[in-house]
Amino acid sequence: MKKIVLVVIVILLAASVAMALTLPRNETFYEGGAMWAPLTNFNPLNVNHGWGVDLVYPTLFMYNPLTNQMVPYLAESATWTSKTTYVINLRHNAYWTDGQPVTAQDVKYTFELPFTVSQLVPIVGLKSVNVINDYEVQFVFSHPNYPNFYPALYSDYIVPEHIWSQVATSDIFSKANLTNPVGCGPYEYLASNQQEIILQRNDNWWGNDVFGKPAPKYVVEIYASSNNVALGLLLQGQLDMSSFYLPGAETLMGPYNLTTWNKKPPYMPSNATTLLFLNTTATPLNNVQFRRALAYAIGPISDLTQRVYAGYVPNYVNQLGFLPIKSWMQFEDKSVVSQYGYTFDPAKAAQMLDQLGYTKGPNGWRTMPNGQPLKLSIICPYGWTDWMAAERIVAEDLQKVGLNVTADFPDYSTYFSDITSGNYTMMMSNPNGVSQTPYTYFYSLFGYPVQQYMYNGNFERYTNPTVTDLLNKIATYPLNDTTDLQPLYSQIEQIFLQDMPAIPLFYNGMWYLANSSVWTNYPTADNPYCWPSTYNNANVIDGSLLLYTHIKPAK
């Protein structure tokens, strides 16, 4: 009876959103989970651009996290011709939607823009980009930084020089680009409103002969005010694919023709690791042994994941926080984890806290060694219901060893302000997700130098010159040089486990549910042709562009 009531409620909630869906249903693919506000920015050079840019503007490569391979996209081939020179051959049949050919000059212009536009980040070690001919371009380095360069090849969008060179340098980053944007992807920007962003298929796309012609004529990203509204649209068949977190939806898979990645738990692939970040500049979290005591106090992880996610994600997490993907796990040093790792052991946590002088007072809460009250808090954004539930469980675990810890839920803007300014003691977040190398994970954790405001990473404000040196050395080796890289990763892993600036909690799933009423042949673990994501940038960074060339109309 409760299930029936839930379904009725969410379908009624969806009605107002459904009113906006006016395109031919059998030609339109509706997706959701990446639009959180009306579209104001379609600028591929601005990191805060809205959804859809990756279907309009090309990158040189795509990345497939399932195979850990870079897939040629605008590039046809590429090779290192020397230790400092990388040459890319472009496809000869690519054209911008205004009819102009895509050439090496567009690539040179795009990658050299950061030399003159201060808001753009240049590739580390890049000296110049040289045009050899119309379809051959050369990247010259003083010293290549491999884990910085390769992601740029599948995340930096190429723009047409003949359009963007007419924009004042001071306006390039802020340009909205909402009036007839000229791209060369499988789709073109058509329109947007308060509830949706609409793209129309580019039937002259050069990639039709390479990747296949996309099946949907229109692709629409919808705005849903809540998870319940999104669930209602999905059950009605008004939403084809969801990247919303929809708890309990697995019970509706059969009756409502829903598809997800795995047919049995864990239903979702792991997309990122959620950690408890510890502000290493705040007392007593500036004490290494205090931080390690917290790690022993939290758990068991299987209890947390079952209570919060009920089969959506794996019931374990790697002690290093490594995602369960080959590109990361190949560098896990099991001997280091065995020697320096931790297990759920609240008795050991209590013993460590006692030895450090954080003893219990008359009220049962531990105090500072000088007898002053000790109070800590954990923060995550209000409305992130799964994280809020997980945060409460972690707070309860810490309370059980006598720590006065509260679970607090500020609005997102306050949360972001607090974590970037260091105005917190503990918080939940996740660093970069699936990638070619664990370097991106470690660099996000503690590679950024500590300054007043930390916008990109190292939110725990951890400083260790040895780690900085190790990261710099790792960056000089090709990603597949396991012989030289393993000793360096082993050292970082040991330091991470010894110093514990952040504690891995659980794997965040790639939330994915699809309705097969209108479209079929979705990616699954049994049919893994692409990563099941429609998040911003996922079409090239995770190779999900292939979703549109593989799905088929339902019979």
Side-chain angles (χ1 to χ4, degrees):
M1 182 63 182
K2 289 182 178 179
K3 185 189 295 185
I4 295 174
V5 172
L6 170 64
V7 172
V8 172
I9 291 173
V10 296
I11 288 177
L12 290 173
L13 286 170
S16 61
V17 178
M19 293 292 290
L21 310 182
T22 57
L23 299 169
R25 186 66 185 92
N26 64 333
E27 296 183 289
T28 307
F29 185 79
Y30 290 102
E31 55 190 59
M35 181 181 179
W36 301 103
L39 181 66
T40 58
N41 174 4
F42 206 72
N43 182 342
L45 300 172
N46 187 318
V47 293
N48 296 314
H49 63 73
W51 174 90
V53 162
D54 51 357
L55 289 173
V56 174
Y57 289 90
T59 51
L60 292 171
F61 289 83
M62 294 182 285
Y63 172 62
N64 184 345
L66 298 167
T67 61
N68 194 36
Q69 297 295 316
M70 286 170 50
V71 179
Y73 183 18
L74 190 58
E76 190 168 51
S77 63
T79 187
W80 288 97
T81 57
S82 73
K83 290 184 177 180
T84 57
T85 305
Y86 189 75
V87 175
I88 294 178
N89 294 287
L90 303 176
R91 300 189 189 276
H92 290 214
N93 62 334
Y95 286 83
W96 300 105
T97 49
D98 64 356
Q100 295 294 313
V102 180
T103 70
Q105 189 61 40
D106 296 314
V107 177
K108 172 183 172 66
Y109 173 77
T110 300
F111 280 95
E112 289 190 342
L113 268 177
F115 296 155
T116 56
V117 180
S118 61
Q119 297 96 328
L120 303 180
V121 180
I123 295 172
V124 176
L126 180 64
K127 289 174 59 179
S128 64
V129 182
N130 305 320
V131 172
I132 299 175
N133 57 53
D134 281 351
Y135 301 104
E136 194 171 4
V137 62
Q138 179 189 72
F139 290 77
V140 179
F141 295 85
S142 56
H143 55 281
N145 181 310
Y146 295 98
N148 178 259
F149 176 50
Y150 285 132
L153 295 177
Y154 56 80
S155 60
D156 286 8
Y157 300 105
I158 307 303
V159 298
E161 183 199 27
H162 66 280
I163 300 291
W164 288 82
S165 62
Q166 305 304 308
V167 180
T169 301
S170 59
D171 296 333
I172 283 179
F173 188 77
S174 59
K175 177 180 171 66
N177 198 40
L178 287 168
T179 304
N180 299 321
V182 174
C184 71
Y187 286 88
E188 299 179 71
Y189 173 78
L190 182 62
S192 63
N193 54 51
Q194 296 287 324
Q195 295 182 328
E196 57 193 6
I197 303 169
I198 306 170
L199 305 183
Q200 180 172 316
R201 189 174 58 209
N202 174 12
D203 287 332
N204 296 318
W205 181 45
W206 56 270
N208 288 339
D209 296 330
V210 180
F211 304 104
K213 185 177 180 179
K217 182 174 182 179
Y218 303 97
V219 176
V220 180
E221 174 72 21
I222 68 160
Y223 168 80
S225 58
S226 71
N227 288 346
N228 278 342
V229 170
L231 180 58
L233 291 170
L234 188 68
L235 299 182
Q236 283 183 300
Q238 297 279 19
L239 177 63
D240 296 305
M241 183 169 166
S242 164
S243 293
F244 295 96
Y245 171 65
L246 303 177
E250 73 280 1
T251 62
L252 302 170
M253 287 181 189
Y256 288 90
N257 206 20
L258 302 187
T259 298
T260 190
W261 186 251
N262 290 314
K263 294 179 181 177
K264 57 183 180 180
Y267 296 106
M268 309 294 171
S270 300
N271 191 56
T273 304
T274 301
L275 299 97
L276 182 67
F277 283 72
L278 311 175
N279 187 342
T280 61
T281 64
T283 304
L285 295 165
N286 56 356
N287 185 310
V288 171
Q289 293 306 310
F290 185 91
R291 298 197 298 265
R292 284 182 56 80
L294 299 186
Y296 282 103
I298 298 171
I301 296 302
S302 58
D303 178 63
L304 183 153
T305 55
Q306 182 59 34
R307 290 169 62 184
V308 176
Y309 292 108
Y312 268 38
V313 301
N315 62 0
Y316 67 92
V317 68
N318 180 273
Q319 291 187 43
L320 297 168
F322 278 13
L323 285 169
I325 54 177
K326 182 180 178 181
S327 57
W328 290 24
M329 292 302 296
Q330 66 179 336
F331 291 111
E332 180 195 31
D333 190 327
K334 290 182 171 57
S335 63
V336 167
V337 174
S338 175
Q339 183 174 354
Y340 299 100
Y342 56 93
T343 58
F344 173 58
D345 190 343
K348 182 176 179 65
Q351 181 184 39
M352 293 176 68
L353 292 170
D354 287 339
Q355 292 173 346
L356 291 170
Y358 299 96
T359 56
K360 291 184 179 180
N363 61 1
W365 296 125
R366 294 183 182 274
T367 65
M368 298 290 290
N370 62 6
Q372 293 296 310
L374 169 58
K375 186 173 182 180
L376 302 169
S377 72
I378 311 173
I379 60 172
C380 79
Y382 180 81
W384 295 20
T385 53
D386 53 328
W387 279 25
M388 291 169 66
E391 182 179 307
R392 290 188 183 99
I393 293 172
V394 173
E396 290 169 4
D397 289 340
L398 298 177
Q399 290 165 6
K400 289 175 183 176
V401 297
L403 293 171
N404 187 358
V405 178
T406 59
D408 298 319
F409 313 112
D411 62 77
Y412 182 81
S413 61
T414 302
Y415 164 84
F416 184 75
S417 174
D418 287 345
I419 68 173
T420 55
S421 64
N423 183 33
Y424 76 96
T425 52
M426 297 183 285
M427 66 92 173
M428 286 172 53
S429 185
N430 45 20
N432 292 352
V434 289
S435 67
Q436 292 174 284
T437 164
Y439 171 93
T440 56
Y441 167 74
F442 281 130
Y443 194 89
S444 179
L445 275 180
F446 35 63
Y448 294 95
V450 176
Q451 52 192 12
Q452 183 178 1
Y453 296 102
M454 303 296 295
Y455 291 113
N456 299 307
N458 194 5
F459 298 117
E460 69 276 30
R461 296 173 173 260
Y462 175 76
T463 300
N464 188 325
T466 301
V467 170
T468 302
D469 182 59
L470 288 168
L471 287 171
N472 289 338
K473 288 179 179 176
I474 287 172
T476 65
Y477 292 102
L479 306 186
N480 60 355
D481 186 355
T482 55
T483 301
D484 288 312
L485 288 172
Q486 185 60 69
L488 301 173
Y489 277 118
S490 295
Q491 293 179 66
I492 288 187
E493 291 166 19
Q494 177 179 334
I495 294 171
F496 175 79
L497 292 171
Q498 285 180 315
D499 285 6
M500 219 74 247
I503 303 171
L505 294 178
F506 54 87
Y507 293 127
N508 215 56
M510 178 61 258
W511 312 129
Y512 163 54
L513 281 168
N515 187 309
S516 298
S517 300
V518 180
W519 302 97
T520 62
N521 197 40
Y522 290 105
T524 66
D526 296 326
N527 184 24
Y529 61 80
C530 76
W531 192 246
S533 173
T534 59
Y535 284 155
N536 229 352
N537 308 318
N539 291 302
V540 287
I541 293 179
D542 296 332
S544 299
L545 179 149
L546 300 179
L547 168 73
Y548 308 99
T549 63
H550 280 68
I551 56 173
K552 301 174 182 179
K555 295 181 179 178

